[in-house]
Amino acid sequence: MLEHGGNLHDAIRRYQRAREDWLDLSTGINPQAYPIPVIASDAWHRLPEPSAGLLNTAQTYYGAPQLLPVAGTQAAIQGLPRLREKSKVVVAAPSYAEHAFQWKQAGHAVTEVPYAQLESAVADCDVMVVCNPNNPTGEIVAAEVLLRWSKQLAAKGGWLIVDEAFGDVTPQTSVASHTAQAGLIVLRSVGKFFGLAGLRLGFVAAHPELLMKLADLLGPWTVSGPAQQIGSAALSDRAWQLAMRQQLTDQGQRLHHLLATHGIASTGCALYQYWPHARPAEFAEQMAAHGIWIRHFKHGVRLGLPPNEAGWQRLQQALAASIAA
Amino acid sequence: MLEHGGNLHDAIRRYQRAREDWLDLSTGINPQAYPIPVIASDAWHRLPEPSAGLLNTAQTYYGAPQLLPVAGTQAAIQGLPRLREKSKVVVAAPSYAEHAFQWKQAGHAVTEVPYAQLESAVADCDVMVVCNPNNPTGEIVAAEVLLRWSKQLAAKGGWLIVDEAFGDVTPQTSVASHTAQAGLIVLRSVGKFFGLAGLRLGFVAAHPELLMKLADLLGPWTVSGPAQQIGSAALSDRAWQLAMRQQLTDQGQRLHHLLATHGIASTGCALYQYWPHARPAEFAEQMAAHGIWIRHFKHGVRLGLPPNEAGWQRLQQALAASIAA
């Protein structure tokens, strides 16, 4: 299995620092989670039948004509490579590592291509995977460009997979509303924007025929009863969503500016900031010495949002004492 | 996808009877569910890292040397067929239909064999799947027989998969404690005995090497945060478990006797009773007319436990007015 952020167990063990003493900035999960409603006892008790209410709510929220709820985007990332004959797959890079990993695991020929070169790669592949906005760099491909690529790929029976896991703050970038056209597949996550990663809920927007195949592959009862109920509440709470979009936009800018004052030119989105770093592991060590758990890659480091003012102060002090790049 | 019990949506739509007017006996899920504790907000919020506490508790409860938590037994039933080259698979029949279905889906050569003939089938297959106790017939294969079969299969690189989803009331039948030996795989479900089917939690007990492969296949974060927390509480609550074992044993006998007074010779286990029926769909129709949703197969019908005294009375009246066999 690949390494991921959010692995506080590792931090606790490696540095012998108690859980409550860590400031966990290693994910892009919103630290201001959607408030959990009272759960109906039947949601825990009964086998979770598909919920028409959840589907309708999600269709409205995502503007998608047809959706399949899944137990987190990860389930779809693992399932989709199994629904195609061995193909030539281009995955935008650097990006969320599970995409390339799962396509390779399923036996496809995978090439990782920088965002700037995707345009020229469309002609020579069957499947393209783009995170939009990208995790961790925040790069965005315009919707009209994605739709053009999607048509090029669909014309030869190909797929464009757009992972919009971090798209909730910028809904104008989404192509979910166009997924009635064959070959365009959009992945959405409830975990990040709503701060509910423990729930295991995500959605796939795509052509009904493909969704049916994916549903068959994933099997029955994948989404828990409570996830259905809480998901319905969160996706229909327009007031919370609007306020949170503003709040996260502000906090993302605050993080960007804080990094800038320490000489760091970061990119990213509202939920995280990223910058290339020559010695990312060393920087992560420096942060860990301050009790701050971050995500480092081979090519750079990523920081999520502190959950409160004390967290912001602690981050500022740690940055002041560290080598930024 | 296969049809299953617990599909009240279908009942509501087909008979235009409101949800609250149905007595749902279509599953073998304990109607007296384990009481849900207060959920830590982090369980909803954070990515669910593997929980050592849950694992330890489950190892003690199941008496198993090594376990993998899964999002319901279904995840393992779907995953295991993908971890073998195409094999000759014998599935005990009649039984829980997902086993044969998933092995066939994965391209294996599947033969369904009655329980009485399993002994003679061991020599001629690579994989055998046995539900113990069986769903829906309640048939039980003695632990020492299973262990003998398992050794025969393991000697040729084969597997014995024992689905103990309904084994909690009769722990003496379990072979989970023997799963350190290669080739013996035991599936356990938290949904049935603890009445928490909406939670999506189950366990696979098997050789560490196989569990590692299965974990890789299923990917990260499959079990939700709340499922981990509630599962830990339920599996460690020895007093509740002991009382519930007795209670369910009594209720299973009550159901058996009630059916007997209507001329029905049923078999099963504490959580359901089954009997062969010449016209199972017709019997199900008669029950549905009384607002009772049952599970019917091609070969017979299955009834779960009523949740309260009113339910018992309603079942008794419906049985008195129906053609039992």
Side-chain angles (χ1 to χ4, degrees):
Chain A
M1 260 186 235
L2 298 178
E3 203 173 308
H4 290 284
N7 51 339
L8 260 192
H9 284 351
D10 291 358
I12 294 162
R13 197 178 47 236
R14 208 178 306 170
Y15 297 91
Q16 299 290 311
R17 185 192 287 266
R19 173 172 285 271
E20 58 273 20
D21 293 341
W22 282 100
L23 172 61
D24 184 10
L25 306 182
S26 70
T27 76
I29 297 164
N30 180 0
Q32 279 90 39
Y34 186 78
I36 302 296
V38 175
I39 312 288
S41 64
D42 261 8
W44 300 109
H45 173 54
R46 292 185 56 85
L47 279 165
E49 295 183 87
S51 157
L54 173 64
L55 262 191
N56 290 340
T57 304
Q59 279 167 348
T60 303
Y61 176 74
Y62 293 117
Q66 181 116 358
L67 290 164
L68 178 71
V70 290
T73 320
Q74 180 69 21
I77 292 174
Q78 294 181 194
L80 288 170
R82 293 179 53 207
L83 294 180
R84 279 191 74 94
E85 297 296 304
K86 302 301 169 252
S87 304
K88 287 170 77 174
V89 180
V90 163
V91 180
S95 191
Y96 183 58
E98 285 283 343
H99 289 290
F101 179 71
Q102 295 294 342
W103 283 94
K104 282 178 202 163
Q105 287 281 94
H108 300 274
V110 175
T111 319
E112 300 188 56
V113 170
Y115 269 70
Q117 294 162 31
L118 288 176
E119 175 83 52
S120 58
V122 177
D124 196 37
C125 67
D126 309 307
V127 175
M128 181 175 274
V129 185
V130 180
C131 293
N132 205 47
N134 187 36
N135 169 16
T137 63
E139 284 158 297
I140 288 182
V141 182
E144 61 269 24
V145 175
L146 290 172
L147 294 173
R148 179 160 47 77
W149 294 352
S150 167
K151 276 177 194 144
Q152 277 179 261
L153 287 161
K156 49 183 172 179
W159 290 351
L160 178 70
I161 299 175
V162 186
D163 182 345
E164 299 182 350
F166 290 98
D168 298 60
V169 179
T170 51
Q172 69 280 9
T173 63
S174 175
V175 291
S177 62
H178 299 272
T179 46
Q181 67 186 58
L184 178 59
I185 302 166
V186 172
L187 310 182
R188 303 293 308 232
S189 164
V190 171
K192 280 81 177 183
F193 175 69
F194 293 98
L196 298 173
L199 200 61
R200 310 317 296 138
L201 180 62
F203 291 88
V204 183
H207 193 273
E209 226 169 280
L210 180 72
L211 292 186
M212 213 125 67
K213 280 187 203 163
L214 186 58
D216 273 347
L217 177 72
L218 298 178
W221 317 303
T222 58
V223 176
S224 74
Q228 293 191 356
Q229 194 200 318
I230 297 168
S232 297
L235 293 174
S236 63
D237 192 340
R238 190 120 183 94
W240 187 92
Q241 293 157 12
L242 286 175
M244 189 50 68
R245 253 177 225 151
Q246 191 54 55
Q247 194 176 320
L248 290 175
T249 303
D250 294 348
Q251 291 182 9
Q253 283 172 358
R254 178 174 180 183
L255 183 56
H256 181 83
H257 291 315
L258 173 62
L259 293 168
T261 62
H262 292 89
I264 298 167
S266 67
T267 58
C269 71
L271 284 159
Y272 52 78
Q273 290 287 302
Y274 164 89
W275 68 99
H277 200 292
R279 286 157 296 163
E282 197 179 315
F283 180 74
E285 285 285 335
Q286 291 172 343
M287 289 287 119
H290 290 268
I292 300 176
W293 192 237
I294 69 160
R295 181 83 164 100
H296 68 280
F297 309 89
K298 277 185 197 153
H299 42 79
V301 299
R302 188 190 67 195
L303 267 61
L305 297 173
N308 49 38
E309 200 48 41
W312 284 101
Q313 297 308 324
R314 193 160 158 194
L315 174 60
Q316 178 162 18
Q317 286 156 20
L319 285 170
S322 304
I323 301 154
Chain B
M1 257 185 236
L2 298 178
E3 202 174 308
H4 290 284
N7 51 339
L8 259 192
H9 283 350
D10 291 356
I12 294 161
R13 195 178 50 233
R14 208 179 304 171
Y15 297 92
Q16 299 290 313
R17 185 191 286 266
R19 174 171 285 271
E20 58 273 21
D21 294 340
W22 282 100
L23 173 61
D24 184 11
L25 306 183
S26 70
T27 75
I29 297 164
N30 179 1
Q32 279 91 37
Y34 185 78
I36 303 295
V38 175
I39 312 288
S41 65
D42 260 9
W44 299 109
H45 172 55
R46 292 184 57 82
L47 280 165
E49 294 184 87
S51 156
L54 174 64
L55 261 191
N56 290 340
T57 305
Q59 280 167 346
T60 303
Y61 176 74
Y62 293 118
Q66 182 115 359
L67 289 164
L68 178 72
V70 290
T73 320
Q74 180 68 21
I77 292 173
Q78 294 180 197
L80 288 170
R82 293 180 53 207
L83 294 181
R84 280 191 73 94
E85 296 297 304
K86 302 302 170 251
S87 304
K88 288 170 77 173
V89 180
V90 162
V91 180
S95 192
Y96 183 58
E98 285 283 345
H99 289 292
F101 179 72
Q102 295 293 343
W103 283 93
K104 282 178 203 163
Q105 286 282 94
H108 300 274
V110 175
T111 318
E112 299 189 56
V113 170
Y115 270 70
Q117 294 161 30
L118 288 176
E119 175 82 50
S120 59
V122 177
D124 196 37
C125 68
D126 309 307
V127 175
M128 180 174 274
V129 185
V130 180
C131 291
N132 205 46
N134 188 36
N135 168 16
T137 62
E139 286 160 297
I140 287 181
V141 182
E144 60 267 26
V145 175
L146 290 172
L147 293 174
R148 180 159 47 76
W149 293 352
S150 166
K151 276 178 193 143
Q152 277 179 261
L153 288 161
K156 49 184 171 177
W159 290 351
L160 177 71
I161 298 174
V162 186
D163 183 345
E164 299 183 350
F166 290 98
D168 298 61
V169 180
T170 51
Q172 68 281 8
T173 62
S174 174
V175 292
S177 62
H178 298 271
T179 47
Q181 67 186 56
L184 177 60
I185 302 165
V186 171
L187 310 181
R188 303 293 308 233
S189 164
V190 171
K192 280 82 177 184
F193 175 69
F194 292 98
L196 298 173
L199 199 61
R200 312 317 296 140
L201 180 62
F203 292 88
V204 183
H207 192 274
E209 226 170 279
L210 180 72
L211 292 186
M212 213 125 66
K213 281 188 203 162
L214 186 59
D216 273 346
L217 177 73
L218 298 177
W221 316 304
T222 58
V223 175
S224 73
Q228 293 191 357
Q229 195 200 318
I230 297 169
S232 296
L235 294 174
S236 62
D237 192 339
R238 189 119 184 94
W240 187 92
Q241 293 158 12
L242 286 174
M244 188 51 67
R245 253 177 224 151
Q246 189 55 53
Q247 194 177 321
L248 290 174
T249 302
D250 294 347
Q251 291 182 12
Q253 284 171 359
R254 180 175 178 181
L255 182 56
H256 181 82
H257 291 315
L258 173 62
L259 294 168
T261 62
H262 292 89
I264 298 167
S266 68
T267 58
C269 71
L271 284 160
Y272 52 79
Q273 290 286 301
Y274 165 88
W275 68 100
H277 200 292
R279 287 157 296 163
E282 197 179 315
F283 180 74
E285 285 286 334
Q286 291 173 343
M287 290 286 117
H290 290 269
I292 300 176
W293 192 238
I294 69 159
R295 181 82 166 98
H296 68 280
F297 309 90
K298 279 186 197 153
H299 42 78
V301 298
R302 188 191 67 194
L303 267 60
L305 297 173
N308 50 38
E309 199 50 41
W312 284 100
Q313 298 306 324
R314 192 160 160 193
L315 175 59
Q316 179 162 18
Q317 286 156 20
L319 286 170
S322 305
I323 300 155

